[in-house]
Amino acid sequence: MAITPEEMVAIKLSLRVASVAVLASLPIAILVAYALSRGRFRGKILLDGLVHMPLVLPPVVTGYVLLILFGRRGPIGEFLDETLGIVLSFRWTGAALAAAVMSFPLMVRAIRLAMDAIDRRSEDAAASLGASPAWVFATVTLPLAMPGIIAGVVLAFAKALGEFGATITFVSNIPGETQTIPAAIYTYTQTPDGDAGALRLSIVAVGLAFAALVASELLVRRSGQQRAGFE
């Protein structure tokens, strides 16, 4: 059951899409999680609901909204195309955007829970010594929240690898361009005698997810040991 060149393209594309999705959304997720954990402002509940909306909406709906907004004729997509020459619809970058949107709530939630669990006295002690809020955030809050950040990154990466509904709605299923592992499996299931290919890619998907979870556990344990030493 050797992997075919076409399947290898789908595997590499999935890893590329998931990596870009996570890395691009991580800074935003940290800031949003911090705002939800520490902030006191009007509209906080609305922000929380907006962030978690992709978890409760059908993925096809999310993909359709992305197509309306970021398509070539959409308000954002048209602006990006005409001013920056960036096209997202039916491109791998659009697949990364869809994966980022769908995985974003999982990352924010994990990071926020980690920040909620931090003993505020550590931050107050740093502030009392004259540290600015930004310095407290960078030197105290982030290191203590690192296990949650790692967990959020791995959860988001795994979600991005398995994203299908929003992706196929927004960027279709184009071999070599937007056909990720889930899309390729779907194609195999619709093809006569495609069971072997679907099985191969399913095994790859399970292996990648398992490897990500094991790596996450190891990193979280190591980060937890460093956190214990910090405290």
Side-chain angles (χ1 to χ4, degrees), residues 123-148:
E123 297 172 325
D124 294 340
S128 66
L129 294 175
S132 65
W135 188 250
V136 172
F137 173 75
T139 61
V140 179
T141 308
L142 277 184
L144 292 178
M146 192 55 63

Side-chain angles (χ1 to χ4, degrees), residues 4 6 20 32 48 70 72 75 84 94-95 112-113 117 133 139 147 164 167 171 174 176 178 187 200 213 216 226:
T4 66
E6 293 78 11
V20 170
V32 171
D48 188 45
F70 292 92
R72 283 182 177 270
L84 302 176
R112 179 186 179 180
L113 290 175
T139 61
F164 174 69
T167 301
V171 298
I174 306 172
T178 64
T187 299
R200 285 194 297 268
L213 291 175
S216 171
Q226 294 176 346

Side-chain angles (χ1 to χ4, degrees), residues 161-216:
L161 276 177
E163 169 50 36
F164 174 69
T167 301
I168 199 170
T169 304
F170 181 37
V171 298
S172 189
N173 183 8
I174 306 172
E177 180 66 33
T178 64
Q179 189 178 76
T180 57
I181 292 176
I185 293 174
Y186 174 78
T187 299
Y188 272 129
T189 62
Q190 305 300 309
T191 304
D193 301 324
D195 292 344
L199 178 60
R200 285 194 297 268
L201 288 179
S202 296
I203 292 174
V204 170
V206 171
L208 290 173
F210 183 75
L213 291 175
V214 171
S216 171

Side-chain angles (χ1 to χ4, degrees), residues 66-109:
L66 290 175
L67 185 60
I68 292 175
L69 295 177
F70 292 92
R72 283 182 177 270
R73 297 182 180 180
I76 302 177
E78 185 177 8
F79 171 79
L80 292 176
D81 185 15
E82 293 180 353
T83 59
L84 302 176
I86 298 175
V87 178
L88 296 174
S89 58
F90 306 106
R91 302 286 177 86
W92 77 267
T93 48
L97 174 61
V101 171
M102 294 300 296
S103 61
F104 188 74
L106 297 176
M107 195 187 309
V108 171
R109 184 168 181 81

